[in-house]
Amino acid sequence: MSIFTGAGVAIVTPFHEDGSVDYEKLGEIIEDQIANHTDAIVICGTTGEASTLTHGEHLKAIKYTIDKVAKRIPVIAGTGSNCTETAIMLSKEAESYGADGVLLVTPYYNKATQKGLIAHFTAIANSISIPVVLYNVPSRTGCNILPETAVTLAKNVENIVAIKEACGNISQIAKLAALADGCIDIYSGNDDQVVPILSLGGKGVISVLSNVAPQETHDMCQKFFDGDVAGSREIQLKAMDLIDALFCEVNPIPVKAAMNLMGWNVGGLRAPLTVMEEANQQKLAKAMEEFGIKLA
């Protein structure tokens, strides 16, 4: 059984003016996401700026989210690292807090061979008993999980059950779906490829868009599952300009700007990320309004 089907939000981490994590605001965002039918919360992923949180902040954010959600929907904790031992530590802690699964990004900077990826992910998965979602995002990590590697892991490690595919290469994802033949759940990691990946048998999306349009992102998936492919496609195509604006600078710069434009007051970004360029912010605001999002 899948950890979730539909739209899982790759949720932002809000900050106070002094740069500390604003847990109260995080709680408000979580409640709004659940009210707008988000199907899962993914905490401390790329969008959540996990790479610039301390280990203490990282673990506190995971525990806070699990406690706040209180089993209403699944919580998947981002616990990946380019250090296998660190990823094991974070994953064990997330499991002890009650996470429904973990999201493990490929090792970045030091990277790995395909053999190394198998060893890395196997060691982490074997240290816990909850489900593991692999996260393939070579544009950020310089490391690509080949379809054969994902299938090998899914067939040989019991709790490696899914992959978030953000390689951007729909042909590679189609090959993965063909080789897997259902042995691994596939989630879109790119908001502009949700419907194409659903058409290949995907289970949903782990979404940046869901931060600002949770109901619509949920509906895009649900309509597809209900057989309303035209309705699903309509939402996908309507969202394309907004998705483009949400990725016109490196994520999560635009999505935090978008949430601040909506009045969420999620704060700034941890260095080395910087405030969005004014021209891009104007483009973002225009795309949001055209999509039907009310600005503060």
Side-chain angles (χ1 to χ4, degrees):
M1 183 183 236
S2 302
I3 304 173
F4 76 95
T5 57
V9 62
I11 204 163
V12 301
T13 300
F15 296 128
H16 291 292
E17 282 190 22
D18 66 1
S20 60
V21 177
D22 187 343
Y23 295 100
E24 183 177 352
K25 181 65 67 176
L26 177 59
E28 292 173 13
I29 296 167
I30 288 168
E31 290 298 334
D32 184 74
Q33 287 288 324
I34 294 173
N36 283 282
H37 302 106
T38 283
D39 299 290
I41 304 286
V42 180
I43 183 71
C44 292
T46 305
T47 311
E49 298 178 73
S51 59
T52 47
L53 297 177
T54 67
H55 287 330
E57 290 171 329
H58 192 149
L59 292 172
K60 186 175 178 180
I62 290 170
K63 187 174 191 308
Y64 178 90
T65 300
I66 292 166
D67 291 345
K68 185 70 174 175
V69 172
K71 294 296 180 183
R72 287 174 287 174
I73 58 175
V75 174
I76 299 169
T79 56
S81 173
N82 64 341
C83 171
T84 306
E85 289 303 315
T86 298
I88 288 172
M89 179 274 291
L90 293 171
S91 299
K92 283 182 171 180
E93 286 294 306
E95 180 178 34
S96 76
Y97 301 154
D100 295 285
V102 297
L103 180 71
L104 300 179
V105 71
T106 48
Y108 39 86
Y109 187 70
N110 48 6
K111 306 196 291 186
T113 62
Q114 297 302 301
K115 180 181 176 182
L117 290 177
I118 290 169
H120 173 78
F121 289 126
T122 299
I124 303 164
N126 283 342
S127 76
I128 56 176
S129 59
I130 56 176
V132 169
V133 183
L134 307 177
Y135 179 14
N136 191 33
V137 58
S139 66
R140 295 188 80 117
T141 64
C143 189
N144 186 21
I145 305 174
L146 295 179
E148 296 83 355
T149 301
V151 170
T152 295
L153 284 162
K155 288 185 174 179
N156 288 284
V157 186
E158 185 178 2
N159 58 330
I160 294 180
V161 299
I163 185 168
K164 175 185 176 182
E165 258 299 353
C167 69
N169 181 344
I170 201 71
S171 296
Q172 176 174 317
I173 298 167
K175 181 177 181 182
L176 169 61
L179 289 175
D181 194 26
C183 77
I184 190 166
D185 289 340
I186 302 172
Y187 296 100
S188 176
N190 290 332
D191 285 309
D192 61 352
Q193 294 184 337
V194 180
V195 173
I197 289 174
L198 292 177
S199 76
L200 295 170
K203 299 296 184 180
V205 60
I206 295 177
S207 171
V208 175
L209 176 66
S210 282
N211 282 282
V212 297
Q215 184 67 60
E216 291 86 350
T217 313
H218 163 85
D219 289 349
M220 190 193 315
C221 296
Q222 192 59 52
K223 284 179 182 291
F224 190 96
F225 299 143
D226 291 342
D228 183 7
V229 175
S232 175
R233 181 175 64 241
E234 182 180 355
I235 298 171
Q236 175 79 87
L237 296 178
K238 180 185 176 185
M240 292 302 284
D241 285 348
L242 176 55
I243 293 165
D244 182 59
L246 285 170
F247 291 92
C248 69
E249 291 188 23
V250 68
N251 179 49
I253 292 172
V255 72
K256 282 193 125 175
M259 293 188 76
N260 286 330
L261 286 169
M262 294 169 71
W264 274 107
N265 300 319
V266 296
L269 303 130
R270 290 262 174 104
L273 300 185
T274 53
V275 176
M276 194 174 192
E277 297 288 344
E278 181 61 32
N280 286 333
Q281 185 151 314
Q282 290 174 11
K283 172 185 175 181
L284 174 62
K286 182 174 182 285
M288 291 170 70
E289 289 182 315
E290 288 177 348
F291 188 74
I293 295 172
K294 187 176 179 181
L295 306 187

